[in-house]
Amino acid sequence: MSHHLWHRPRTADPEGTGHGTHKVSFSDSSKSSKRDSSRPSTNNSRPSSPRLLSPRGDKDRERPRSTQRWSDNRVWQRVNRQSEALWQESPSLLSPNSPQPRPFLIYHDSFLNLLGPSPTLSLLITDPRAPYFHEAGVFHLQSNTLFITSNQIPDTSPDAVTTQNKTIVITKIEFFSPTDFTRDKVRCPERNYMANGGTNYRDGLILCAQGSLREPSGLIYMEAKRPHKTTTLLNNYHGRPFNSPNDVVVHSDGSIWFTDPIYGYEQGFRPKPQLPQHVYRFDPATGDIRVVADGFGRPNGICFAPNEETCYITDTDLIHGDGTKVHSRSATIYAYSIYWTNDQPYLTNKRLFAYADTGAPDGIKCDVYGNVYAGCGDGINVWNSGGMLVGKILIEGGCANFCFGRNGEMWCFGEHKLWRVKMADETQGALLGV
């Protein structure tokens, strides 16, 4: 008998130290949203694959090779395929060990099209108090608000005993312009223990609640506007507790896919695992929960290609929850084909898509052209849909996760630092397509 808890949300809507100009306060204020949900309604039938369109038309999917002429103050550097040295287009050679390398590293000319004529990398916030910028990265389009979960922060309150005196803070940043914003701390009910990854859903967002020694882990729906009410969508697999869900993505058919590694147990705030480290698909419309992939060291990030014919899953077995690193373990992105039978999807044809050369690929997302972006030990690595590394956005200290905004905007999370990347206006995230 199935005992898992699930909830079908309503399908109709009722209606520190800073860089740049921003107001820092940890109040619970927020702007209300009046737009309808950007997520599709739930449906139990196989969805039609959306067409992958170029922002400039629907004649083809490929963008033309760059013919731009760059000015003398170039902010990018090229990898010479013959010597594999790092070059910039100037008379001098840029050493790979340069203490201040250019932020955009070009491996293939196609990356120039994604960057556009004037790419920038800027630091929005530095906060030495705690690593507030770590995971999730959910941009709520209706309210122009970015939600971010922190890394673990010491907590001496009595309630934190079951999480080994640790807590995770959810920060929301409401933007009025790229450099004008308010920053607040989200206060939500106790069921949202140790939140990690997240994604857009309905008028709010889904967060992966890793749980505690006492509270179950699972998927939580949180409203985007104050007071940020939460609802438990799922907290067990047919009566067996999840390990510590890490990342989540929503398919256009309304189903929710998420990874479940054992990082919570390794870090001391979750009980001994009772399930393997699986990837799951949950259908809120029917309550069906099933395993769609296994065989990982540490399943982590997950996303779909724009046409939803491919699912990408990262394996960060290189880094275990106790902080140990073994470089012979996986730091890999796997690609799966999505095959449908009896109106249900299966993941088939598992293949190694890419291996990160620095650190492990954590958060992962696609743009509207099908390029794959992953947060790695040296910043954001970018591959085309064939698995070719086309470029990197180098970020000091690396980047665990990131989030697309509007018109070529991306926010990158560097623990104590929040970065903003501006690429070509047409380089948009596949999740929101804006």
Side-chain angles (χ1 to χ4, degrees):
M1 179 176 180
S2 173
H3 299 283
H4 59 266
L5 175 63
W6 62 278
H7 171 74
R8 184 189 304 183
R10 296 178 180 177
T11 57
D13 301 315
E15 262 283 300
T17 301
H19 290 256
T21 305
H22 68 281
K23 311 172 186 67
V24 178
S25 65
F26 280 92
S27 65
D28 213 3
S29 63
S30 67
K31 302 288 185 180
S32 63
S33 169
K34 295 184 179 180
R35 297 190 184 182
D36 292 335
S37 171
S38 62
R39 298 303 308 170
S41 61
T42 56
N43 193 318
N44 195 33
S45 63
R46 176 181 177 178
S48 59
S49 297
R51 296 179 64 192
L52 180 59
L53 302 181
S54 166
R56 298 184 180 180
D58 58 357
K59 293 182 178 179
D60 56 56
R61 298 184 180 183
E62 298 297 329
R63 304 188 67 186
R65 292 175 62 86
S66 173
T67 58
Q68 299 163 352
R69 297 181 62 85
W70 292 72
S71 59
D72 291 335
N73 59 343
R74 297 175 178 86
V75 292
W76 55 278
Q77 56 194 14
R78 183 186 298 276
V79 173
N80 183 302
R81 298 184 187 87
Q82 299 298 324
S83 62
E84 296 190 359
L86 300 181
W87 294 79
Q88 63 178 348
E89 289 210 344
S90 68
S92 62
L93 173 67
L94 181 66
S95 167
N97 298 320
S98 172
Q100 293 181 331
R102 301 286 187 174
F104 302 102
L105 182 59
I106 311 300
Y107 283 81
H108 188 267
D109 284 349
S110 60
F111 193 45
L112 297 175
N113 295 288
L114 300 177
L115 293 177
S118 303
T120 59
L121 172 66
S122 55
L123 182 60
L124 289 184
I125 301 175
T126 298
D127 193 333
R129 296 175 299 171
Y132 288 113
F133 314 111
H134 178 61
E135 281 280 0
V138 180
F139 180 57
H140 186 249
L141 193 64
Q142 297 92 326
S143 61
N144 220 40
T145 302
L146 175 66
F147 292 87
I148 310 169
T149 58
S150 72
N151 209 330
Q152 296 174 25
I153 299 173
D155 186 354
T156 57
S157 66
D159 292 338
V161 173
T162 61
T163 56
Q164 295 293 298
N165 296 112
K166 306 168 187 174
T167 190
I168 286 177
V169 172
I170 304 172
T171 296
K172 67 174 183 179
I173 301 175
E174 183 178 0
F175 287 92
F176 308 103
S177 75
T179 57
D180 182 17
F181 49 87
T182 59
R183 174 184 169 195
D184 303 290
K185 181 165 66 175
V186 174
R187 306 178 190 278
C188 53
E190 292 182 352
R191 65 168 61 92
N192 199 4
Y193 270 91
M194 306 297 279
N196 197 66
T199 192
N200 302 80
Y201 190 68
R202 304 292 181 185
D203 267 345
L205 55 154
I206 293 176
L207 292 169
C208 293
Q210 298 179 91
S212 69
L213 292 173
R214 179 181 61 195
E215 302 295 331
S217 59
L219 301 178
I220 305 296
Y221 172 74
M222 186 179 81
E223 294 181 358
K225 59 184 180 180
R226 186 182 179 188
H228 305 293
K229 294 180 180 179
T230 58
T231 303
T232 300
L233 300 178
L234 178 73
N235 63 12
N236 67 86
Y237 178 77
H238 299 288
R240 298 168 65 180
F242 293 115
N243 299 318
S244 46
N246 189 278
D247 198 12
V248 58
V249 67
V250 178
H251 193 277
S252 63
D253 70 351
S255 62
I256 304 168
W257 303 51
F258 62 99
T259 60
D260 188 34
I262 60 170
Y263 282 125
Y265 170 69
E266 292 179 320
Q267 294 166 359
F269 63 85
R270 286 291 290 149
K272 185 176 180 180
Q274 298 185 36
L275 287 167
Q277 300 182 87
H278 287 152
V279 177
Y280 295 89
R281 177 187 183 269
F282 170 58
D283 186 352
T286 65
D288 177 60
I289 172 72
R290 63 188 180 90
V291 177
V292 291
D294 63 2
F296 299 93
R298 299 291 183 276
N300 200 314
I302 182 171
C303 76
F304 295 115
N307 58 14
E308 295 187 326
E309 294 178 358
T310 305
C311 179
Y312 298 99
I313 302 172
T314 69
D315 190 338
T316 53
D317 195 32
L318 167 72
I319 306 172
H320 283 196
D322 58 4
T324 59
K325 296 183 181 180
V326 177
H327 291 281
S328 61
R329 297 191 297 229
S330 294
T332 307
I333 301 173
Y334 292 103
Y336 296 80
S337 299
I338 300 178
Y339 172 76
W340 288 79
T341 182
N342 292 327
D343 292 325
Q344 294 295 315
Y346 287 84
L347 295 184
T348 64
N349 190 25
K350 178 182 180 181
R351 63 264 190 201
L352 196 156
F353 175 78
Y355 185 88
D357 63 85
T358 305
D362 194 332
I364 186 170
K365 293 175 176 65
C366 286
D367 66 21
V368 292
Y369 305 115
N371 298 297
V372 179
Y373 300 65
C376 298
D378 53 357
I380 305 296
N381 290 198
V382 184
W383 295 266
N384 65 18
S385 58
M388 174 191 289
L389 181 66
V390 298
K392 293 185 178 184
I393 304 171
L394 301 177
I395 296 176
E396 178 186 1
C399 173
N401 219 318
F402 60 98
C403 179
F404 280 99
R406 302 175 189 266
N407 302 324
E409 189 174 36
M410 177 189 290
W411 296 284
C412 305
F413 313 139
E415 303 300 322
H416 293 272
K417 298 179 180 180
L418 176 64
W419 301 85
R420 177 182 182 267
V421 176
K422 181 63 176 73
M423 298 178 287
D425 289 348
E426 300 87 354
T427 304
Q428 301 167 352
L431 183 65
L432 297 177
V434 297

